[in-house]
Amino acid sequence: MSRALIRRLTNQLALTLSAGATLVGLLFLGWILWTLLANGVAGLSVHLFTQSTPPPGADGGLLNAIFGSAAMTLIGIAVGAPVGILAGTWLAEYGRETRLATLIRFVNDVLLSAPSIIVGLFIYQVVVVPMKHFSGLAGCLALAVIAIPVTVRTTEDMLSLVPQGMKDASLALGAYPWRTITGVIYPAARSGMVTGLLLAIARVSGETAPLLFTALNNQFWSRDLNAPIANLPVVIYQFAQSPYKEWQQLAWSGALLITLTILALSIIARVVVSALMPGRRQ
Amino acid sequence: MTTLQAASAKSLGSLEVGSIGQTVGQSTVPDPVFSCQDVNVRYGSKHALRNVTLDVGRRQVLAMIGPSGCGKSTFLRCLNRMNDTIAGAAVTGRILLDGQDIHGPGQDVVRLRARVGMVFQKPNPFPKSIYDNVAYGPRLHGLTRSRSDLDELVCTSLQRAGLWNEVKDRLKHAGTGLSGGQQQRLCIARTIAVQPEVILMDEPCSALDPVATARIEDLIDELKELYAIVIVTHSMHQAARVSQRTAYFHLGALVEVGETDRIFTNPRHRLTEAYITGRFG
């Protein structure tokens, strides 16, 4: 065989293998979405958004769980994201390659890949046990702890992408570093930081394990964050295991709802990136 | 150093290379804006600049030429203390701006950089509107009292940078949407807006095409009526066209300095002659 032929065949083989691998990945994604749609759509109705979780054998919705999830996610992000953004800023602009920054980066990566159930157990130990009851507040804190390493990472990555020349230009005009960060670097990294935030929300809103030990669940409508509060992931977890048809249907619908929300957030993140990309605005 | 450079350096004989240290030519000028004495810069263990003594005159252009890594950019970055931002950089020696030591106690690096502007090799406008790019410095230093003052300062800065006519109808558009040459003139306008005494330019045309380069060179010629300009350049033609004094650096030392006409017609040091006749660099 000639060398040209061998090269062409190798190329074909590599292409086929990588295309095949892509297809396998897409197949499972499509399968998951299809299963969710097929099982979840039947339960989609106005009741889902207007009624709370029902007792066994009755009709109901997911209002309390939707509210609980939204509230805890928003508060968790509101607490975790500022910490993460400031820490990421410090790593990218002040700490850089110092030994302390390297250590913090390593610890953050460990936290990033820690199983979320451990975060749940941690908050259970330091918040739920002293307070002697489960609460939405503990759930918020658990979600915040999960959001922090994600935002630290994305913030640092996005700030590092800002060209050094732009930072130098601001410094050479006589700006203090903090003014350079808020006046030049944040605006330049804006789209990336917004994306990071949306992805952190997506990540946090699907967490089940940390909420099992903290917010637990609540059968009824409740806005009290000092008490156990319903939330989609735990409702799905409990209802899916129940023997009741109505509960199982609600679990499917809840799962579809979370998936669609995360999908929407990811799409918004992409749109935001292309809309805010510096240089694209003419 | 490329093999060609190494070969030509060798052909010059080790004596000349070793004898760098005593600057040839007139390194001082009457009433300098910058007066630098025995400036040394070390990056960690690397001795990047050796005993440089050099004055910068008012209302004239000083060109700094020399092969890559010769220390000319390092020297430039001493003048607005941009070396401070590099970890491990140590600057020694005296640098006087209008008679005041810029490293002296109580000297504020922010004030210094307001008086000594810098234009970089690669055009680096901020991801903001054209107006906000130019207004960034004045806002930083609180140079204007009212919105109309600021409007006027932005306008005159863009006019001086020769960009006003091209952008006056789209001041709110992104500065990053301009062409490379326009971006570099925007960066010059941004520097001028702070009303500096000195403008440092680090190879300002090396990323531009010949037409944009010619515009910047014309601009430099006009700007020297108002500011002292120090320009690092790899183009000897550019140095000859825009500058009144030229300094030749080699291996971190200032080899020769003098009137540009004299340097290019009658260089005294063999290294200077070798460089400007294209034998290496």
Side-chain angles (χ1 to χ4, degrees):
Chain A
M1 265 198 294
S2 71
R3 284 177 64 154
L5 186 65
I6 293 176
R7 283 181 186 171
R8 214 163 40 232
L9 286 178
T10 315
N11 183 40
Q12 285 293 343
L13 185 71
L15 265 181
T16 315
L17 283 178
S18 47
T22 311
L23 275 180
V24 170
L26 284 177
L27 175 75
F28 281 105
L29 182 66
W31 198 353
I32 289 171
L33 281 176
W34 172 248
T35 314
L36 279 174
L37 275 173
N39 292 291
V41 163
L44 285 183
S45 70
V46 187
H47 294 315
L48 208 59
F49 304 98
T50 55
Q51 294 178 6
S52 289
T53 43
D59 278 340
L62 292 167
L63 177 64
N64 53 344
I66 293 171
F67 173 82
S69 268
M72 284 193 288
T73 301
L74 285 181
I75 295 173
I77 290 289
V79 173
V83 177
I85 288 174
L86 288 175
T89 305
W90 185 85
L91 284 177
E93 300 303 326
Y94 294 95
R96 298 191 182 212
E97 298 309 315
T98 56
R99 197 171 288 188
L100 181 63
T102 313
L103 180 71
I104 291 175
R105 211 169 278 128
F106 175 73
V107 170
N108 189 64
D109 282 351
V110 171
L111 202 56
L112 190 64
S113 48
S116 56
I117 195 162
I118 292 176
V119 174
L121 279 170
F122 166 73
I123 297 292
Y124 176 82
Q125 195 61 39
V126 301
V127 179
V128 176
V129 171
M131 287 176 76
K132 297 192 173 65
H133 60 83
F134 294 100
S135 69
L137 220 52
C140 295
L141 282 175
L143 295 185
V145 170
I146 288 168
I148 288 172
V150 182
T151 35
V152 168
R153 195 54 193 272
T154 51
T155 305
E156 194 197 350
D157 286 351
M158 291 306 142
L159 297 190
S160 309
L161 286 180
V162 177
Q164 186 61 37
M166 215 181 263
K167 302 174 187 176
D168 282 349
S170 177
L171 292 175
L173 283 168
Y176 284 103
W178 181 244
R179 187 68 188 257
T180 301
I181 289 167
T182 54
V184 174
I185 300 177
Y186 279 167
R190 184 172 47 186
S191 64
M193 289 170 70
V194 171
T195 313
L197 206 59
L198 290 173
L199 292 179
I201 294 175
R203 162 86 199 270
V204 158
S205 59
E207 286 292 347
T208 318
L211 296 179
L212 273 174
F213 293 99
T214 52
L216 198 62
N217 198 356
N218 191 333
Q219 190 74 35
F220 307 103
W221 168 253
S222 165
R223 286 190 308 191
D224 186 2
L225 284 175
N226 197 26
I229 194 166
N231 56 86
L232 283 173
V234 175
V235 166
I236 293 168
Y237 175 72
Q238 290 181 345
F239 279 20
Q241 299 180 68
S242 75
Y244 312 112
K245 271 259 147 11
E246 295 84 355
W247 279 19
Q248 288 168 5
Q249 182 58 54
L250 280 173
W252 277 116
S253 302
L256 179 62
L257 217 55
I258 287 190
T259 310
L260 290 181
T261 311
I262 292 173
L263 190 68
L265 279 174
S266 306
I267 291 172
I268 291 171
R270 301 211 71 145
V271 173
V272 165
V273 170
S274 57
L276 292 184
M277 201 65 115
R280 286 279 299 270
R281 293 170 303 147
Q282 297 289 320
Chain B
M1 205 186 268
T2 64
T3 32
L4 189 67
Q5 280 174 311
S8 48
K10 204 174 278 174
S11 76
L12 290 162
S14 57
L15 193 68
E16 277 83 2
V17 178
S19 72
I20 302 174
Q22 202 66 38
T23 300
V24 177
Q26 187 69 24
S27 63
T28 56
V29 296
D31 186 30
V33 58
F34 265 115
S35 175
C36 309
Q37 289 144 22
D38 287 322
V39 177
N40 280 272
V41 179
R42 288 178 177 82
Y43 296 122
S45 61
K46 189 177 175 245
H47 199 166
L49 204 62
R50 297 160 189 269
N51 300 323
V52 172
T53 295
L54 180 62
D55 282 1
V56 178
R58 290 174 202 279
R59 293 189 180 75
Q60 56 167 257
V61 180
L62 168 65
M64 303 203 292
I65 58 171
S68 298
C70 67
K72 54 197 190 307
S73 289
T74 302
F75 180 73
L76 194 73
R77 292 170 70 93
C78 288
L79 299 180
N80 63 346
R81 286 179 59 182
M82 279 299 277
N83 284 320
D84 290 13
T85 62
I86 298 170
V91 181
T92 58
R94 291 218 307 168
I95 301 175
L96 307 179
L97 172 59
D98 290 327
Q100 294 236 310
D101 192 338
I102 64 169
H103 293 102
Q107 284 294 322
D108 186 6
V109 69
V110 165
R111 280 288 308 140
L112 171 70
R113 289 177 188 161
R115 294 167 68 189
V116 184
M118 191 167 200
V119 176
F120 294 81
Q121 184 171 1
K122 214 173 146 224
N124 49 10
F126 300 135
K128 297 168 178 284
S129 71
I130 292 167
Y131 183 97
D132 286 337
N133 260 284
V134 182
Y136 184 82
R139 282 179 177 145
L140 211 57
H141 299 287
L143 293 182
T144 52
R145 291 184 189 287
S146 66
R147 178 77 196 194
S148 60
D149 278 2
L150 187 60
D151 287 348
E152 202 181 304
L153 182 55
V154 169
C155 172
T156 51
S157 303
L158 285 168
Q159 280 170 343
R160 278 188 196 156
L163 191 59
W164 177 251
N165 287 330
E166 289 156 66
V167 301
K168 62 175 181 236
D169 301 321
R170 45 176 178 151
L171 291 175
K172 294 285 161 225
H173 290 219
T176 42
L178 298 171
S179 74
Q182 288 174 323
Q183 287 188 13
Q184 195 61 303
R185 277 181 281 146
L186 178 62
C187 293
I188 292 174
R190 184 175 66 187
T191 305
I192 295 171
V194 188
Q195 300 167 339
E197 296 164 47
V198 186
I199 302 176
L200 311 176
M201 297 187 170
D202 194 352
E203 298 181 42
C205 302
S206 61
L208 305 181
D209 66 56
V211 176
T213 299
R215 289 219 55 170
I216 302 272
E217 287 181 2
D218 290 345
L219 183 58
I220 292 172
D221 212 43
E222 288 165 27
L223 292 175
K224 75 164 192 294
E225 305 300 327
L226 296 163
Y227 314 96
I229 295 172
V230 186
I231 180 171
V232 167
T233 177
H234 268 293
S235 155
M236 277 169 283
H237 296 291
Q238 183 168 65
R241 279 192 299 263
V242 302
S243 73
Q244 286 72 53
R245 282 173 83 223
T246 296
Y248 173 68
F249 285 75
H250 189 90
L251 296 176
L254 174 57
V255 173
E256 183 165 359
V257 59
E259 304 290 322
T260 298
D261 291 343
R262 207 269 299 156
I263 292 276
F264 282 100
T265 53
N266 185 21
R268 289 189 203 145
H269 199 290
R270 285 188 63 181
L271 282 170
T272 316
E273 187 189 5
Y275 184 73
I276 64 174
T277 53
R279 279 167 61 197
F280 69 94

